[in-house]
Amino acid sequence: GPRGCPVSLLYLEIDDFNLINDSMGHEVGDEVLKLVAARLRANVEAPDCVGRVAGSEFLAVLRPGAEAVEAQAARLLQSLALPVEPLGTLHYLRINAGLAHCPEHGRTPERLFRNAGLATHEARRRGQHQLVAYTPEFDRAAGDRLQLVSRLHEAIEKNEFASAGAASGRLG
C-alpha cells in the first residue's frame, strides 16, 4: 500500500474560540491554545504526533496500535472535555473533531487533510463536542453548499431578491 498507511488524521477545532479572544483578550486566548496543545501532547503516544495547524485548529496523526484509532480519537476529545483555567479564569471548551483514515478516505496527505476537515465541519453542524468520521456524502454536501452560494451570488447580482418589507413599506 501507499507509504505511511495505515494512518489516520484527527482534525480538532475549538468552537467559538474568537469569543474567548474577543471577551477575555488575546493573552487568555493564547494561554488556552497552549493548554489545549499540552493536553493533546500528554495524550498522544509516539510515534503519533499532534500540532497546531491554524488559529484554533489542531491535527493529530494517529496509527492503530494496542488501541484502535477511534478509541484514541475519543480519548483525545475526552481530554479536552475537562475545563481549562488560563490565567485564573475557568473555561469549558467545545471541540469539533473529524477523523479520516488512510487509505479508505484518501491516499495523500492533502486528501486526508481535506476529508478530516469536512468531517470536522459536519461535527460542528451536528452540535458541540462531537467526533465524526468522514463519509463520501460529505463531499456531496460540500458541493451542494458551494452551488447554493454561487446561485445566491448570481441572484444578488441580477437583483432577483426583494426585501421582506418592500411591498408594504414596513419591515417586520
Side-chain angles (χ1 to χ4, degrees), residues 5 15 31 39 51 59-60 68 75 81 93 101 117 121 170:
C5 283
D15 205 11
E31 191 63 24
R39 205 172 279 177
L59 194 65
R75 187 172 37 80
L93 303 175
H101 307 291
H121 179 85
R170 293 181 295 137

Side-chain angles (χ1 to χ4, degrees), residues 6-93:
V7 67
S8 298
L9 289 186
L10 176 64
Y11 191 118
L12 302 142
E13 70 171 6
I14 304 171
D15 205 11
D16 292 332
F17 180 73
N18 287 339
L19 186 59
I20 293 171
N21 270 340
D22 293 346
S23 63
M24 304 300 293
H26 288 272
E27 188 180 13
V28 170
D30 289 348
E31 191 63 24
V32 167
L33 293 174
K34 290 176 190 173
L35 292 168
V36 166
R39 205 172 279 177
L40 289 172
R41 273 194 311 273
N43 285 282
V44 168
E45 297 176 14
D48 296 345
C49 60
V50 66
R52 184 171 159 225
V53 289
S56 61
E57 299 167 4
F58 295 83
L59 194 65
V61 178
L62 305 174
R63 290 169 184 81
E67 189 178 29
V69 166
E70 288 79 7
Q72 294 174 51
R75 187 172 37 80
L76 283 171
L77 187 60
Q78 189 60 36
S79 77
L80 299 176
L82 301 170
V84 293
E85 199 167 347
L87 308 176
T89 61
L90 194 67
H91 293 279
Y92 287 86
L93 303 175

Side-chain angles (χ1 to χ4, degrees), residues 127-166:
Q128 58 197 26
H129 225 73
Q130 292 272 334
L131 171 61
V132 174
Y134 169 81
T135 67
E137 71 187 46
F138 298 163
D139 290 316
R140 287 187 291 280
D144 290 348
R145 283 191 304 275
L146 182 61
Q147 190 174 33
L148 177 62
V149 168
S150 294
R151 286 181 180 164
L152 286 170
H153 281 289
E154 186 179 326
I156 289 168
E157 284 180 18
K158 292 180 178 179
N159 204 24
E160 293 176 347
F161 281 105
S163 66

